[in-house]
Amino acid sequence: MNKFPFTLEKLPYAYDALEPVIDQQTMLLHHTKHHQTYVNNLNGVLEKNPELQNRTLADLLTHIDQLPLASQTAIRNNGGGVFNHNLFWQSMTKPHTSKPSEAFIALINQAFKSFDDFKLAFKQAALSQFGSGWAWLVKDQNNQLSIIATANQDTPLKLGLTPLLPLDVWEHAYYLKYQNRRAEYIDNWFQVVNWRAVEERFSK
Ligand code: MN3
């Protein structure tokens, strides 16, 4: 599942589970078309590189600069697309059903002053990502939290950071419902964050 040949991971909920924050049609297209295309393209490039087929996706993305030059861009874009979307689906749940624990709120407060400041900084990162990309809550090797944005399908792995919470800000993630209103999408998206998944990643 985490190695070649890659398959499209099932969503951990129904396509309409995130309504009204993210509509069913967007979820369906995003998962069965966009995500599936990354899976297909990643398998395509790995078919041509048998020596890479027994490596995990995270390993490939962490060491992207050491891969065969001709395949780097394709693996970065499509491998990143597979990795990021798997993480994204697992990071969401039905609206208003998940809250961060007291312990995790304390960590957030330590890093960002307050939970509201965290949300503001995350929103700012997501808004200011020019064009397509992702906003992330990440931790470094000392368990320090920070917020970053990455372009296209780049992952935090290459930067030596552990992704905890991703937000897809490609237009395909929100355009059907929100059109150009990325800020509104981001504000509403906080209602569907699966904090349990985030905290499990932090504790690993
Ligand atoms: Mn996407």
Side-chain angles (χ1 to χ4, degrees):
M1 193 149 112
N2 198 19
K3 285 182 187 172
F4 177 87
F6 290 91
T7 55
L8 183 67
E9 280 189 17
K10 285 207 168 108
L11 293 187
Y13 36 70
Y15 285 109
D16 63 357
L18 307 181
E19 294 260 12
V21 174
I22 303 180
D23 59 289
Q24 179 175 10
Q25 179 76 351
T26 295
M27 288 300 292
L28 193 68
L29 290 169
H30 200 170
H31 184 245
T32 65
K33 303 295 180 194
H34 293 277
H35 191 178
Q36 180 73 62
T37 300
Y38 295 122
V39 171
N40 297 348
N41 291 345
L42 176 62
N43 285 334
V45 63
L46 290 176
E47 269 162 29
K48 291 182 236 152
N49 293 271
E51 77 281 9
L52 303 178
Q53 290 177 1
N54 63 352
R55 293 175 63 175
T56 66
L57 185 53
D59 178 37
L60 291 172
L61 293 169
T62 303
H63 303 102
I64 201 99
D65 296 336
Q66 296 154 31
L67 302 181
L69 206 56
S71 304
Q72 281 184 14
T73 302
I75 293 178
R76 180 177 176 176
N77 290 341
N78 295 291
V82 173
F83 181 88
N84 292 345
H85 286 92
N86 282 342
L87 211 62
F88 186 49
W89 310 135
Q90 300 287 341
S91 300
M92 297 186 287
T93 187
K94 282 177 187 291
H96 302 294
T97 58
S98 179
K99 277 185 187 163
S101 67
E102 292 293 321
F104 200 72
I105 289 175
L107 289 171
I108 292 270
N109 291 345
Q110 204 172 39
F112 306 102
K113 284 203 292 194
S114 74
F115 203 78
D116 283 342
D117 285 310
F118 156 71
K119 281 169 77 172
L120 261 178
F122 194 97
K123 180 180 179 181
Q124 197 50 46
L127 271 179
S128 55
Q129 172 54 41
F130 185 76
S132 297
W134 294 74
W136 303 88
L137 175 67
V138 296
K139 70 167 182 175
D140 67 14
Q141 284 161 350
N142 300 315
N143 278 345
Q144 291 298 307
L145 298 177
S146 59
I147 292 166
I148 64 166
T150 58
N152 303 314
Q153 294 295 352
D154 286 355
T155 77
L157 297 175
K158 201 164 76 87
L159 307 169
L161 299 166
T162 302
L164 303 178
L165 177 62
L167 173 58
D168 191 340
V169 291
W170 284 57
E171 281 189 345
H172 68 225
Y174 62 87
Y175 201 83
L176 287 182
K177 182 178 169 85
Y178 296 94
Q179 290 86 47
N180 61 321
R181 305 186 306 279
R182 191 190 278 194
E184 190 184 328
Y185 160 65
I186 299 164
D187 285 338
N188 289 349
W189 172 78
F190 280 106
Q191 300 170 21
V192 297
V193 171
N194 181 349
W195 288 102
R196 197 167 157 184
V198 175
E199 293 183 33
E200 277 170 12
R201 284 175 203 138
F202 179 82
S203 304
K204 258 191 197 161

